[in-house]
Amino acid sequence: MKSERHAMILEIIERSDVETQEDLARLLKERGIGVTQATVSRDIKELRLIKVLTDTGAYKYATVDKAEAGLKDRLIRIFSDSVMA
Amino acid sequence: MKSERHAMILEIIERSDVETQEDLARLLKERGIGVTQATVSRDIKELRLIKVLTDTGAYKYATVDKAEAGLKDRLIRIFSDSVMA
DNA sequence: ACTGAATAGGAATTCAAC
DNA sequence: GTTGAATTCCTATTCAGT
């Protein structure tokens, strides 16, 4: 079912850094859900997931609110560094 | 200069819905800054812009915080609708 | 360090099937 | 309405040049 898959996708991207839709399809398959990149693309659209840069320079899929949290963390770190310096 | 271009990109994507990097390159050209998609791609990476879904189902570039604001608006609207119904 | 042209790589859509 | 295969479209990177 689609809603189950959606839930699993959210779990997966929270737990690990997923760089591509192919990766996500592979991770779903490991969990017993066989779908192709085309379906993953549609799921990502429906879940309104976004692709963000991690601090290591790699891309990963995330929810908007998680991305916002990451942004806040980064700003705090930058601010702290500038104060300390 | 690159920083000028970055500033203009932020202005452009706030004012209008930019769907692709080619579009953005074109809009920059209209404003007197000629760059190719390759450079726009690098700019987007440096600015950490993301591609989000609009309510019409189209994609557009945005900053993370603006995307978060949009998310909040949408949730409020959905909530209001469900209360009214 | 910055950029463009060309290319490779990744994502969204089409088209058909169910 | 949902999905996969194939395709088109878009984006990131490479490689060269400045």
Side-chain angles (χ1 to χ4, degrees):
Chain A
M1 216 210 292
K2 192 165 72 172
S3 61
E4 284 183 39
R5 195 176 63 238
H6 280 190
M8 189 165 292
I9 287 175
L10 291 174
E11 262 197 48
I12 291 174
I13 65 165
E14 184 161 1
R15 274 179 168 69
S16 52
D17 290 5
V18 180
E19 295 197 13
T20 68
Q21 300 186 354
E22 300 281 2
D23 282 352
L24 188 46
R26 189 174 43 74
L27 290 168
L28 284 169
K29 192 168 191 177
E30 289 177 5
R31 287 164 179 74
I33 301 180
V35 281
T36 63
Q37 177 265 323
T39 298
V40 170
S41 172
R42 295 180 187 114
D43 287 346
I44 285 173
K45 186 167 191 172
E46 289 165 21
L47 290 170
R48 285 174 173 270
L49 299 183
I50 57 176
K51 207 171 183 180
V52 295
L53 266 186
T54 66
D55 289 329
T56 64
Y59 286 96
K60 64 167 280 193
Y61 281 100
T63 55
V64 176
D65 57 337
K66 283 290 184 336
E68 162 77 4
L71 173 63
K72 199 185 293 180
D73 289 347
R74 192 167 347 102
L75 289 176
I76 290 172
R77 199 170 322 118
I78 292 169
F79 179 68
S80 301
D81 289 351
S82 65
V83 171
M84 298 307 167
Chain B
M1 215 210 292
K2 192 166 71 173
S3 60
E4 286 184 37
R5 196 177 61 237
H6 280 190
M8 188 165 293
I9 287 176
L10 291 174
E11 261 196 48
I12 291 174
I13 66 165
E14 184 162 1
R15 276 179 166 66
S16 52
D17 290 4
V18 180
E19 296 197 13
T20 68
Q21 301 185 353
E22 300 281 1
D23 282 352
L24 188 47
R26 189 174 43 74
L27 290 168
L28 284 169
K29 193 168 191 178
E30 289 177 5
R31 288 162 179 73
I33 300 181
V35 281
T36 63
Q37 177 265 324
T39 298
V40 170
S41 173
R42 296 179 186 113
D43 288 345
I44 285 173
K45 186 166 190 171
E46 289 166 19
L47 291 169
R48 284 176 173 268
L49 300 183
I50 58 177
K51 208 172 183 179
V52 296
L53 265 188
T54 65
D55 289 329
T56 64
Y59 286 97
K60 65 167 279 191
Y61 281 99
T63 56
V64 176
D65 57 338
K66 282 291 187 327
E68 163 77 5
L71 174 63
K72 198 186 294 181
D73 290 346
R74 193 168 346 99
L75 289 176
I76 289 172
R77 198 170 322 116
I78 291 169
F79 179 67
S80 301
D81 289 351
S82 65
V83 171
M84 298 306 169

